[in-house]
Amino acid sequence: AQSVSQHNHHVILSEAASLELGCNYSYGGTVNLFWYVQYPGQHLQLLLKYFSGDPLVKGIKGFEAEFIKSKFSFNLRKPSVQWSDTAEYFCAGKVGSQGNLIFGKGTKLSVKP
Amino acid sequence: DVKVTQSSRYLVKRTGEKVFLECVQDMDHENMFWYRQDPGLGLRLIYFSYDVKMKEKGDIPEGYSVSREKKERFSLILESASTNQTSMYLCASSSERPGRRVYEQYFGPGTRLTVT
């Protein structure tokens, strides 16, 4: 079955630490992958997306993700987190022909000041 | 900027009531989606629509129905609300037309529904 999985449920970091959140997908064909972020009390917003081309994708707020086809992975990274990065992060992949996305279960990131 | 609005941020209903959640988008998007978001379960797709009067079941359609009479509006209906439908409901929209940030979903602020 098509799925997107996120390895970590809750990650706690101190400010300035580096971040890597794992995401794996399990479907074939054309791969369109997304990372969304939900700050406390706010709506989901897009961080970055991969459709094709350069597997290293840069997004907003200093985030980046690398698509590694051989590992079916699309991990999110940030070299130095800030307290304001505290949020829940969702990885998603497009499936089907009508633009449906499958979402992972989310990773909560808590950054200690 | 794309704007997706939902009729209520918070809603409290009683078991057995019929509940309507409304969603409106202003970007002429073809696709609209309803999800529920529960802690530890992520987002689960309830229904989606890719055109006016068209609807498709998602992963968890039981107990829900939808209506899309106009392109900009997508309604989620709980025919007889139950306590296990207490959740955060998110609406989203997207486009597949070239040059329109294909498949990128834009989300509303959510409606937190409590069924007592």
Side-chain angles (χ1 to χ4, degrees):
Chain A
Q2 298 165 326
S3 68
V4 171
S5 57
Q6 294 180 239
H7 314 301
N8 310 101
H9 178 61
H10 192 185
V11 172
I12 303 171
L13 295 173
S14 297
E15 274 194 317
S18 64
L19 170 72
E20 182 160 3
L21 301 182
C23 173
N24 286 91
Y25 64 95
S26 65
Y27 57 92
T30 303
V31 176
N32 301 132
L33 295 163
F34 305 80
W35 275 99
Y36 281 83
V37 61
Q38 187 175 35
Y39 297 103
Q42 296 189 25
H43 61 275
L44 269 86
Q45 53 188 287
L46 184 72
L47 267 182
L48 48 78
K49 62 187 177 186
Y50 171 79
F51 276 21
S52 63
D54 189 345
L56 186 62
V57 180
K58 293 196 184 297
I60 61 172
K61 306 189 180 189
F63 286 91
E64 65 179 30
E66 186 175 11
F67 171 64
I68 303 179
K69 190 174 182 179
S70 61
K71 295 184 178 180
F72 296 90
S73 70
F74 188 55
N75 291 356
L76 182 70
R77 300 195 294 244
K78 187 171 184 179
S80 176
V81 294
Q82 300 171 314
W83 176 79
S84 58
D85 293 324
T86 294
E88 190 159 16
Y89 294 81
F90 293 92
C91 183
K94 187 192 89 67
V95 295
S97 57
Q98 271 93 39
N100 300 6
L101 300 185
I102 287 182
F103 283 82
K105 294 185 177 181
T107 298
K108 281 190 180 175
L109 172 65
S110 299
V111 181
K112 296 179 178 178
Chain B
D1 275 352
V2 175
K3 197 166 184 183
V4 179
T5 56
Q6 295 183 227
S7 49
S8 307
R9 291 298 302 270
Y10 300 93
L11 208 52
V12 180
K13 295 291 181 181
R14 293 188 182 277
T15 302
E17 278 193 87
K18 191 168 186 175
V19 182
F20 294 86
L21 302 183
E22 304 283 342
C23 174
V24 177
Q25 51 95 3
D26 66 357
M27 278 300 290
D28 198 36
H29 282 172
E30 312 87 73
N31 303 329
M32 295 188 76
F33 308 84
W34 275 107
Y35 298 89
R36 61 177 285 175
Q37 181 180 12
D38 300 287
L41 297 179
L43 277 72
R44 293 179 291 165
L45 183 64
I46 304 171
Y47 268 96
F48 66 99
S49 167
Y50 52 89
D51 202 351
V52 176
K53 296 193 186 293
M54 305 299 286
K55 60 184 178 183
E56 295 283 344
K57 292 180 181 179
D59 300 318
I60 51 164
E62 297 78 20
Y64 303 94
S65 62
V66 290
S67 171
R68 194 166 180 201
E69 297 296 318
K70 293 185 177 181
K71 191 174 186 179
E72 68 271 18
R73 188 180 297 269
F74 192 36
S75 303
L76 179 70
I77 303 151
L78 288 67
E79 296 290 341
S80 177
S82 63
T83 54
N84 63 12
Q85 292 179 309
T86 291
S87 186
M88 172 70 87
Y89 289 88
L90 301 180
C91 177
S93 70
S94 74
S95 177
E96 294 181 39
R97 282 178 276 171
R100 294 293 309 271
R101 295 191 174 182
V102 174
Y103 304 131
E104 183 177 323
Q105 290 192 11
Y106 294 82
F107 285 84
T111 295
R112 185 166 295 281
L113 173 67
T114 302
V115 183
T116 61

